[in-house]
Amino acid sequence: VEVNTPHGEVELNSPMSIGDPANLEDCITVGSVHADRPHLYGVSAFSSRGPTSDGRLKPDVVGPGERITSCNANYRSSAADELYRQESGTSMAAPHVSGLLAAFLSARREFRGRPDEVKEILLRTCTDIGRDRYHQGQGVPNLMQMLLET
């Protein structure tokens, strides 16, 4: 389903829209939320939703994925090019969660090489944003809570 917005056409995802490889059980699947106000705006319209085709809860978590300032891959150092640009998508949200996990593992080195335990801690300590679990998963990751509980 596509809808018109002030920012152009947006495709809305429907249930069971999470595909390979995000639907793998061992994968940490990241959906997208508004960067500054996830509790107010909730899950991004473009973010895929669960359940998986076999009924499991996905995404696992959500992270900032709307209008994220990122490097401009098309930068060519001409006057018209900008070094940075704003992008939206789960591809913008996933690096936030990866960075959070890297920070966690740098502080809690004993969890290196124990991915199942790290994922369990991540999911257990998320901040719920009050949306359907098949849209938000466990919520927004909370690094401070992860550190406090380990």
Side-chain angles (χ1 to χ4, degrees):
V1 176
E2 288 188 0
V3 296
N4 287 319
T5 71
H7 304 289
E9 286 190 359
V10 175
E11 185 175 323
L12 298 179
N13 284 304
S14 59
M16 297 194 304
S17 60
I18 296 178
D20 293 336
N23 63 2
L24 297 174
E25 194 167 338
D26 290 339
C27 180
I28 296 174
T29 306
V30 181
S32 172
V33 291
H34 189 272
D36 298 324
R37 297 183 177 163
H39 286 80
L40 177 63
Y41 295 111
V43 179
S44 305
F46 54 79
S47 191
S48 294
R49 284 142 168 78
T52 60
S53 60
D54 62 354
R56 288 176 292 112
L57 179 68
K58 287 283 184 171
D60 295 299
V61 299
V62 289
E66 292 184 27
R67 298 187 191 113
I68 304 299
T69 300
S70 181
C71 295
N72 184 355
N74 297 320
Y75 179 75
R76 301 285 184 249
S77 75
S78 71
D81 282 343
E82 295 291 330
L83 188 56
Y84 301 99
R85 61 193 240 183
Q86 287 194 336
E87 294 287 337
S88 294
T90 55
S91 59
M92 296 290 109
H96 283 88
V97 176
S98 295
L100 176 140
L101 291 172
F104 174 76
L105 291 171
S106 71
R108 298 291 189 266
R109 299 170 65 88
E110 66 271 21
F111 285 99
R112 291 182 181 181
R114 295 161 56 186
D116 293 338
E117 291 175 66
V118 172
K119 182 176 178 181
E120 189 275 322
I121 295 165
L122 170 72
L123 299 180
R124 185 179 72 234
T125 58
C126 284
T127 301
D128 185 354
I129 60 168
R131 300 308 194 276
D132 185 297
R133 289 281 183 210
Y134 289 117
H135 294 193
Q136 74 160 30
Q138 298 302 317
V140 178
N142 185 330
L143 177 59
M144 292 307 295
Q145 197 63 41
M146 289 179 74
L147 294 171
L148 286 170
E149 290 196 16
T150 54

